[in-house]
Amino acid sequence: MHQGLPHSCPREHWRDSAADQVVVLLARPSTVDISTDELLSVLSADEQHRVARLRRTEDRRRSALGSALSRSLLGQWLDLPTTAVPLTRTREGKPILTPAAASSGPWFNVSHSGDVAVSYTHLRAHETKANL
C-alpha cells in the first residue's frame, strides 16, 4: 500500500470477524498528498489507459485515486502488493478480481464524483455496488 493513501483497519481484524463487513475508503483528490503520476504507477496498463482517455485533469486524478484505493484495500485483504492485485473487467467495464482471486472474496466497487473518490469493499462473497 502506498503510504500516502488512506487505509483501513489492519487485515487481521477483518479475517477474525464472522459477520459481514463493508469497508469504505473515502478520499478527496485535492487533499491526498500523492501526485497523479504516483497514483498511476500502482495501476495496471489497462487502468492507466482508461484514466488517460479522460479529458479533464481532475477527472483523471479522481479516477486514478479511486482505482488506487481499491487496489490498496484489495492488496491488504489478499496479502499482495498493490500493483499485484489481479483485476480484470466485466463486459460492461466494471473492474473485478480475476476468478482465481475472487474465490476467497471480497467484492468491491469504486465510485467518484466531484471532489470525492470512494472504494467500497464487501469482505464476504456478496456483490457490492456504489454510486455517488
Side-chain angles (χ1 to χ4, degrees):
M1 174 177 66
H2 194 288
Q3 289 191 359
L5 286 175
H7 59 278
S8 59
C9 62
R11 180 176 166 262
E12 55 271 9
H13 293 276
W14 305 343
R15 296 246 188 220
D16 291 342
S17 175
D20 285 347
Q21 293 183 35
V22 175
V23 176
V24 178
L25 296 181
L26 177 126
R28 295 190 179 280
S30 61
T31 63
V32 173
D33 191 27
I34 303 173
S35 72
T36 301
D37 286 342
E38 287 178 283
L39 292 169
L40 290 169
S41 73
V42 302
L43 306 184
S44 70
D46 175 62
E47 289 168 314
Q48 290 175 16
H49 178 73
R50 285 176 166 274
V51 169
R53 290 190 324 205
L54 299 172
R55 291 176 28 158
R56 298 180 343 158
T57 302
E58 58 269 21
D59 292 339
R60 289 191 299 272
R61 180 162 175 77
R62 188 174 35 255
S63 180
L65 178 58
S67 294
L69 287 173
S70 291
R71 282 186 163 277
S72 175
L73 189 58
L74 292 166
Q76 289 177 62
W77 175 261
L78 298 169
D79 202 21
L80 291 171
T82 304
T83 55
V85 174
L87 296 176
T88 189
R89 292 196 174 266
T90 64
R91 284 193 320 248
E92 296 78 22
K94 180 184 185 309
I96 58 172
L97 286 168
T98 60
S103 65
S104 62
W107 285 88
F108 73 99
N109 200 357
V110 63
S111 186
H112 37 80
S113 178
D115 190 36
V116 178
V118 181
S119 174
Y120 296 81
T121 304
H122 191 269
L123 299 176
R124 300 291 179 236
H126 303 286
E127 185 170 7
T128 300
K129 297 182 179 181
N131 289 308
L132 288 179

